[in-house]
Amino acid sequence: MDHQGRDIIQDTEAVELAYRPTRGDFLRAVLVRERIRRLNLLRWALVALFTLFAGARVMSGWSSSVPLVICAVMIWGIPHLQAHHGLRTVGWQGDYRTTVTDTGVTTVTDYVTLTQRWSVFQGYRETRDHLVLLSRDPNILLVEVLPKRGAADPADIDRLRMLLGRHLPRV
């Protein structure tokens, strides 16, 4: 593949993260995505609805409301199932080395190299332990999670925020 010399240019403002993805990383990404799309409201409304139906059945003398409770628990657990599936999908790749530069985000594992330009993302959201980049597509099918624990130095997180702020809006 012809890199046209880009792979030998060292970006002085590059921020590097080294980490192994965890289920918590994926869960945070799913929850941020849900909040942006307002799916969390729908999920909690459905959980409340099934719980109310179960309570009404118990109060009216029906013997079993277990199926309704199971539905409520399953709906509540959807983000956890998605996080588990996400980790199973990429967990075998091992350690991630992610470099954020003015050209985009590059992630390297022992098996894959993925470069995403800034134009792929619509914005980012910061949580206590993560920076979550959200794709531009209407359904936000792609998220990039940057765990803060991957930074070698706490000052790298500030530099990372500056880089993200230069290229993406906070959402």
Side-chain angles (χ1 to χ4, degrees):
M1 180 194 291
D2 181 18
H3 297 286
Q4 300 173 345
R6 287 188 300 265
D7 55 346
I8 60 171
I9 298 172
Q10 297 297 318
D11 194 334
T12 57
E13 293 201 30
V15 177
E16 294 184 11
L17 305 171
Y19 58 94
R20 180 177 292 262
T22 66
R23 188 178 160 284
D25 297 336
F26 283 94
L27 181 59
R28 182 58 48 209
V30 169
L31 293 175
V32 165
R33 178 181 175 261
E34 267 194 0
R35 262 187 221 108
I36 297 292
R37 294 184 62 206
R38 298 202 188 345
L39 292 174
N40 60 332
L41 300 174
L42 175 63
R43 183 168 51 90
W44 284 111
L46 287 172
V47 167
L49 185 67
F50 277 100
T51 303
L52 285 172
F53 283 156
R57 282 187 73 158
V58 168
M59 298 299 260
S60 66
W62 285 81
S63 61
S64 179
S65 60
V66 172
L68 293 172
V69 172
I70 290 173
C71 286
V73 169
M74 288 179 66
I75 291 168
W76 174 82
I78 287 173
H80 300 272
L81 293 171
Q82 290 175 326
H84 177 74
H85 178 71
L87 183 59
R88 281 189 57 207
T89 302
V90 300
W92 61 272
Q93 294 179 21
D95 293 332
Y96 278 50
R97 293 168 306 284
T98 299
T99 306
V100 182
T101 66
D102 275 326
T103 58
V105 180
T106 301
T107 302
V108 178
T109 72
D110 289 339
Y111 304 97
V112 175
T113 299
L114 173 65
T115 299
Q116 300 168 91
R117 297 194 183 276
W118 292 116
S119 59
V120 170
F121 302 107
Q122 66 170 293
Y124 77 99
R125 179 160 292 183
E126 183 171 1
T127 67
R128 187 186 72 199
D129 298 322
H130 301 86
L131 291 154
V132 181
L133 285 62
L134 304 153
S135 69
R136 192 171 291 284
D137 66 281
N139 292 321
I140 310 175
L141 296 175
L142 170 75
V143 294
E144 179 74 31
V145 184
L146 303 174
K148 293 177 182 178
R149 70 177 183 280
D153 181 17
D156 288 344
I157 300 302
D158 293 331
R159 290 185 24 239
L160 181 56
R161 273 191 208 100
M162 284 179 29
L163 263 171
L164 293 176
R166 198 174 350 187
H167 298 284
L168 300 173
R170 279 185 184 250
V171 292

